[in-house]
Amino acid sequence: MTYKNFKIETDADGIALVTWDMPDKSMNVLTVEVMEELNAIIDQTVADGAVKGVVITSGKSSFSGGADLSMIKSMFTLQQEEKAKDPAHAVEKLFALTGQMSGLFRKLETCGKPWVSAINGTCMGGAFELSLACHGRVASNAKSVKIALPEVKVGIFPGAGGTQRVPRLANAQDALQMMTTGSSLTAARAKAMNLVHQVVAPEELIAAAKQMIKDGLKPIAPWDEKGFKAPGGGIWTPAAAQLWPAAPAILRRESAGNYPGALAILKCVYEGLQVPFDTALKIEQRYFTYILQTTEAFSMIRSLFISMQELGKGARRPAGVPKSEFKKVGIVGAGFMGASIGYVTAAAGIPVVLIDRDQEAADKGKSVCEGLVSGSVSKGRMSKEEGEKLLELITPTADYGSLSDADLVIEAVFEDREVKKAVAEKIEAVLPEGSIFASNTSTLPITGLAKNSKRPNQFIGIHFFSPVEKMMLTEVILGKETGDKALAVALDYVAAIKKTPIVVNDTRGFYVNRCVFRYIGEAYDMLIEGVPAAMIENAAKMAGMPVGPLSLNDEVAVDLSYKIFKASIADLGPQSVDPRHMELVTKLVEDGRLGRKSAKGFYDYPPKPAKKRLWPGLKDLYPQQKPEDVDVKVLKERLLVTIALEAARTVEEGIVTDPREADVGSILGFGFAPYTGGTLSYIDGMGVKTFVALCEKLAAKYGSHFKPTPLLLDMAAKGETFYGRFDPYAKGKAA
């Protein structure tokens, strides 16, 4: 029998090698078709008396990334359709659907013949759950091997046996750590946790897997044998009595109770270890069905799984423009930002010319790249040879003539119109006719900068976030005259350096910075009201933000806030800035409290290893409220609502045109409460009508900046959502 996604070869020893190699896909994924074929292969190998055992491996450089988009989408589609059609039985049908993969893996595990998974690269999610159901697991010791159950990062949890098999192989504490963080394991760490049996050289992988079967591997999982005990003895032991009372508290400390999927992992493990294995799988299936119905799971999967993949694959790329090949990219401005852009470009294998005013400044930029390389080498993220190869691609120079054959030039000089104008003239004097000119500006409108260009249709903004090598987002900004080719080239470049782009129209601060400064501005208001600074920071973290607004302001620099206020007053008039905010920021700047870079801002930064701490002088700036008089729930609402409201304004103004980009941009750009799915999903999740009512309540007490916009009022009256009214799939965009 032949299969579309698998190839089977049985050797003279009666061992069937099943090679998973999906046509037209760079990585194997679990689909309904793959599961049907795997089911047939189990039946075929069981029925064939000549087959003594089975080895399953991948025909690609990685094993599998887990479930496919189509499978995830189908679960939510079924749920919505059934709720509309037959609400009484909708959950039953979802329960049956969620049990299909788990049931298939259990069938493999109990088929009576030994199966060994030969893991040759990335093995994630459902694919690792498939491997866990095999009786033996052998992993390659190649650096590319990453083993993980990362489902919690997209709002769900390992629902195909993962929460039951992992704690029956590894100790419960390690199992919980792995699953509640979704962290990746190396092959060696997976072996140390008892999740794989052997780690071998890549060329020995298949032979070692087959040898396990030849050596008499039992076709029975440990938990199906009489007298099985979980590592550490299960739930009712002195060790477990120390672990389990603390586990929910530790999870709450890390997640503030915002992630139902993470809590469900604890429940699945705690309850599952007390019952027989098949009952435990049913417990997991019940919790998985429940979690799939939560707003958090729906919103997180949509933004962090589906939308991120679609945007990463060029959902906003104009059709009909040939794909760009980058033979050389020029970076003008070799400061920390420009040098870091050069580093990520060279890391993608693209030759880079790093230009500054003189050779010394350009060389200084390359030394930043050298520092980043040595950091990666010391952490084992790249070999010494790979680091040397990367640095060979970066040429520092003061000669603008070296841009004469560049496909793309990115200007990353100081945020000053005159400086940028002078640099633009030098670049355009040598830039080839078809090449694209991009500015990495963080606040200055692109249309204004494009006035310095002779060819504004080839001028675009590519806004990177610091630190460039870690931040996965880039904002691609369209000026009024930016053409399709410039957009296509910018998106191709962002794809080449493996970052996620969002495309926004031109405005002061674009999308991300507008939202960030609303967040920081709300913290200024709270400080002025006398809310203790520690409560502001803690409320932000409880609301799901990765860092508090005052800490974030220190990171971006307090004097940057000051400069932005000054520029805003100069361009838009004094009414554009709250005078109380200006007074607060001016006070800090005059005292030399510029943020982390000056070792003091809203926080003090003592020499390491001491930790940063809030500046005690903050409480002397304004009369303080008693902590017990401050409602933490309201603080959390204010911080999230002010950001979401600004995101809604950018949609109303036509700055952001695709809700996927607002959501993904807010999470990747500044960590907007990921459990909400992003700014617009936060509004859609509670319902626009509820959001409008909340805005009106906050506006009455805390100021007119909370007033809902005309768009929101209209949507609330019509019962609309952002994903309904601005449906990203309705415009015939590639997705």
Side-chain angles (χ1 to χ4, degrees):
M1 190 173 170
T2 56
Y3 301 94
K4 182 180 166 187
N5 302 294
F6 297 93
K7 191 173 70 179
I8 305 182
E9 300 162 287
T10 306
D11 66 14
D13 295 312
I15 298 171
L17 177 64
V18 175
T19 305
W20 185 5
D21 195 356
M22 297 177 81
D24 309 319
K25 283 210 182 270
S26 57
M27 186 183 269
N28 293 323
V29 286
L30 287 159
T31 62
V32 172
E33 183 183 58
V34 164
M35 285 169 60
E36 285 168 354
E37 290 192 358
L38 186 58
N39 188 45
I41 289 166
I42 296 167
D43 290 340
Q44 181 188 332
T45 52
V46 167
D48 189 343
V51 172
K52 303 286 183 287
V54 181
V55 171
I56 183 165
T57 193
S58 165
K60 301 187 188 295
S61 59
S62 58
F63 189 83
S64 166
D68 182 50
L69 277 180
S70 61
M71 277 198 64
I72 302 289
K73 276 181 170 175
S74 70
M75 285 187 177
F76 288 108
T77 308
L78 175 105
Q79 193 180 318
Q80 286 160 354
E81 286 172 358
E82 291 299 327
K83 263 188 180 170
K85 208 164 60 186
D86 183 8
H89 299 99
V91 178
E92 270 176 49
K93 287 184 179 169
L94 184 62
F95 181 74
L97 183 68
T98 60
Q100 284 176 4
M101 194 182 290
S102 186
L104 174 64
F105 296 166
R106 185 64 174 148
K107 177 178 175 176
L108 182 155
E109 189 171 55
T110 56
C111 72
K113 290 189 178 178
W115 278 63
V116 179
S117 173
I119 300 167
N120 62 318
T122 299
C123 184
M124 300 271 185
F128 187 52
E129 290 178 290
L130 162 64
S131 297
L132 289 169
C134 292
H135 309 96
R137 287 165 294 285
V138 183
S140 153
N141 64 6
K143 262 190 183 172
S144 59
V145 172
K146 285 191 182 76
I147 292 169
L149 294 171
E151 290 88 342
V152 74
K153 292 180 178 179
V154 292
I156 51 175
F157 68 85
T163 66
Q164 300 312 314
R165 291 187 177 91
V166 172
R168 284 171 169 79
L169 291 166
N171 68 67
Q173 188 168 340
D174 286 346
L176 291 177
Q177 175 73 13
M178 177 193 181
M179 292 187 288
T180 57
T181 61
S183 52
S184 293
L185 308 175
T186 61
R189 177 64 184 140
K191 185 174 187 291
M193 283 175 66
N194 197 35
L195 298 178
V196 301
H197 298 95
Q198 292 178 41
V199 177
V200 299
E203 62 275 11
E204 295 166 19
L205 186 66
I206 304 303
K210 287 184 172 184
Q211 193 60 46
M212 281 189 85
I213 295 169
K214 289 182 200 171
D215 291 345
L217 178 68
K218 283 165 97 174
I220 302 165
W223 37 88
D224 288 327
E225 297 207 73
K226 207 174 173 185
F228 168 77
K229 274 196 172 71
I235 296 297
W236 306 108
T237 64
Q242 286 186 309
L243 169 68
W244 285 103
I250 292 166
L251 183 64
R252 177 165 278 276
R253 182 189 70 197
E254 298 301 319
S255 67
N258 290 323
Y259 295 86
L263 185 59
I265 292 169
L266 263 62
K267 293 177 177 180
C268 287
V269 176
Y270 184 75
E271 294 173 29
L273 285 178
Q274 299 180 57
V275 296
F277 191 75
D278 285 307
T279 310
L281 288 178
K282 278 276 181 281
I283 288 170
E284 180 187 79
Q285 191 180 346
R286 281 176 59 197
Y287 279 119
F288 196 70
T289 305
Y290 164 72
I291 290 298
L292 277 180
Q293 296 173 78
T294 62
T295 304
E296 290 87 350
F298 176 76
S299 301
M300 285 179 78
I301 283 174
R302 179 170 65 189
S303 295
L304 293 169
F305 192 63
I306 297 169
S307 297
M308 249 174 83
Q309 285 197 26
E310 289 169 349
L311 295 175
K313 287 175 183 170
R316 293 292 308 277
R317 193 184 187 281
V321 181
K323 195 172 185 302
S324 320
E325 294 295 326
F326 298 98
K327 295 185 181 71
K328 186 197 273 189
V329 168
I331 314 282
V332 180
F336 191 74
M337 183 59 98
S340 301
I341 297 168
Y343 170 81
V344 297
T345 307
I350 301 168
V352 174
V353 177
L354 196 55
I355 293 183
D356 215 307
R357 62 184 178 275
D358 53 42
Q359 189 63 45
E360 190 187 344
D363 288 339
K364 207 172 167 187
K366 183 159 183 181
S367 71
V368 170
C369 301
E370 287 162 358
L372 291 169
V373 165
S374 66
S376 290
V377 170
S378 67
K379 286 172 187 158
R381 288 184 189 142
M382 67 170 70
S383 67
K384 194 164 179 270
E385 295 71 32
E386 287 167 340
E388 286 166 0
K389 202 172 160 190
L390 187 157
L391 290 169
E392 279 170 17
L393 291 170
I394 301 170
T395 308
T397 180
D399 178 17
Y400 278 80
S402 59
L403 299 175
S404 61
D405 57 346
D407 306 295
L408 169 70
V409 173
I410 300 167
E411 164 273 298
V413 298
F414 187 65
E415 285 285 280
D416 180 286
R417 283 189 183 87
E418 290 309 309
V419 174
K420 286 183 184 288
K421 183 174 187 281
V423 165
E425 285 166 2
K426 287 183 186 173
I427 293 169
E428 291 214 330
V430 293
L431 194 65
E433 206 171 299
S435 296
I436 300 302
F437 185 174
S439 175
N440 170 53
T441 176
S442 54
T443 51
L444 298 174
I446 287 297
T447 305
L449 294 177
K451 285 176 183 165
N452 304 325
S453 173
K454 296 176 206 156
R455 36 191 171 179
N457 65 321
Q458 285 166 238
F459 193 96
I460 197 162
I462 302 179
H463 176 209
F464 289 85
F465 296 86
S466 186
V468 176
E469 69 281 4
K470 288 181 184 163
M471 297 294 279
M472 295 312 298
L473 185 75
T474 55
E475 268 180 316
V476 175
I477 303 113
L478 302 174
K480 281 200 170 72
E481 294 182 60
T482 303
D484 277 359
K485 186 190 172 184
L487 175 57
V489 169
L491 291 176
D492 290 344
Y493 167 71
V494 172
I497 60 171
K498 296 184 171 62
K499 296 202 181 287
T500 302
I502 62 167
V503 180
V504 300
N505 288 318
D506 201 16
T507 183
R508 180 180 296 273
F510 316 128
Y511 170 65
V512 170
N513 280 349
R514 277 181 59 168
C515 292
V516 165
F517 284 105
R518 278 285 175 186
Y519 178 50
I520 291 169
E522 199 58 33
Y524 292 170
D525 281 351
M526 291 173 178
L527 276 176
I528 292 160
E529 291 161 21
V531 176
M535 289 191 78
I536 299 170
E537 297 292 86
N538 287 335
K541 287 177 190 165
M542 289 162 74
M545 300 299 287
V547 290
L550 304 177
S551 177
L552 181 62
N553 202 172
D554 273 2
E555 294 299 330
V556 300
V558 179
D559 57 327
L560 178 63
S561 298
Y562 177 77
K563 285 170 189 163
I564 288 168
F565 285 163
K566 293 286 274 186
S568 188
I569 290 166
D571 292 351
L572 305 172
Q575 78 287 348
S576 65
V577 173
D578 186 326
R580 301 171 310 152
H581 292 185
M582 190 68 189
E583 189 187 334
L584 169 62
V585 170
T586 304
K587 162 88 178 130
L588 267 79
V589 170
E590 285 174 353
D591 289 352
R593 306 195 71 87
L594 310 181
R596 185 186 278 278
K597 67 180 180 182
S598 65
K600 56 182 186 176
F602 288 101
Y603 283 76
D604 285 324
Y605 299 86
K608 287 182 176 179
K611 289 185 175 178
K612 69 177 186 181
R613 56 179 178 264
L614 279 160
W615 174 40
L618 280 175
K619 63 178 180 293
D620 302 323
L621 296 179
Y622 305 99
Q624 296 290 285
Q625 292 187 51
K626 288 181 186 170
E628 58 269 29
D629 294 339
V630 179
D631 188 337
V632 173
K633 182 172 177 277
V634 173
L635 295 183
K636 285 159 64 179
E637 286 172 347
R638 285 173 67 181
L639 291 166
L640 295 186
V641 168
T642 195
I643 298 169
L645 197 46
E646 189 64 17
R649 286 188 195 103
T650 65
V651 174
E652 188 158 359
E653 293 165 24
I655 306 305
V656 175
T657 58
D658 186 324
R660 295 174 296 183
E661 293 178 315
D663 279 343
V664 171
S666 65
I667 296 173
L668 293 188
F670 56 95
F672 182 82
Y675 67 92
T676 64
T679 46
L680 299 186
S681 283
Y682 170 67
I683 299 172
D684 278 2
M686 71 170 77
V688 177
K689 201 172 178 182
T690 305
F691 182 75
V692 162
L694 180 55
C695 288
E696 286 169 339
K697 183 185 89 175
L698 294 173
K701 195 163 181 189
Y702 301 104
S704 60
H705 63 288
F706 278 114
K707 275 189 177 168
T709 67
L711 170 68
L712 284 165
L713 292 168
D714 185 52
M715 288 172 68
K718 292 174 180 170
E720 291 178 327
T721 63
F722 278 96
Y723 276 83
R725 180 155 172 163
F726 302 95
D727 182 355
Y729 306 106
K731 300 166 193 167
K733 292 176 186 168

